[in-house]
Amino acid sequence: TMTWVSDDGVTVSGWKVCWAAQPPSLPPPLPPPSLPPLAPCPLGDVCTTGPCLITDGGSCATSPDFPNDYPNLEGCTIYNVPPVGLDV
């Protein structure tokens, strides 16, 4: 699970993160119990809350308006990311 939040100060070019198929080195950690429950996500899919998008056939996620500047005071959670290396 990855969580991203922008502040109200500065906006910069958006971001894109992709997951590469590599064997995991450690099992994924359990989420902290204080996180609110996430909406159901189909088995094998990566899902998001908020304005971020899942792209490239489900292998990447982007900030809102990528590659343009992302807006102030936005946030999203990306979940069900496979336990593999990330390319940011």
Side-chain angles (χ1 to χ4, degrees):
T1 300
M2 296 181 285
T3 300
W4 167 78
V5 178
S6 65
D7 62 19
D8 64 352
V10 177
T11 59
V12 294
S13 295
W15 51 263
K16 180 177 184 177
V17 61
C18 299
W19 29 97
Q22 300 173 1
S25 56
L26 296 173
L30 295 174
S34 61
L35 291 176
L38 297 170
C41 185
L43 184 64
D45 285 357
V46 176
C47 296
T48 183
T49 64
C52 294
L53 298 174
I54 303 300
T55 64
D56 298 80
S59 63
C60 297
T62 64
S63 60
D65 300 328
F66 175 82
N68 301 313
D69 291 355
Y70 55 76
N72 288 331
L73 303 174
E74 288 286 1
C76 65
T77 298
I78 302 161
Y79 57 103
N80 280 8
V81 177
V84 296
L86 298 177
D87 182 21
V88 181

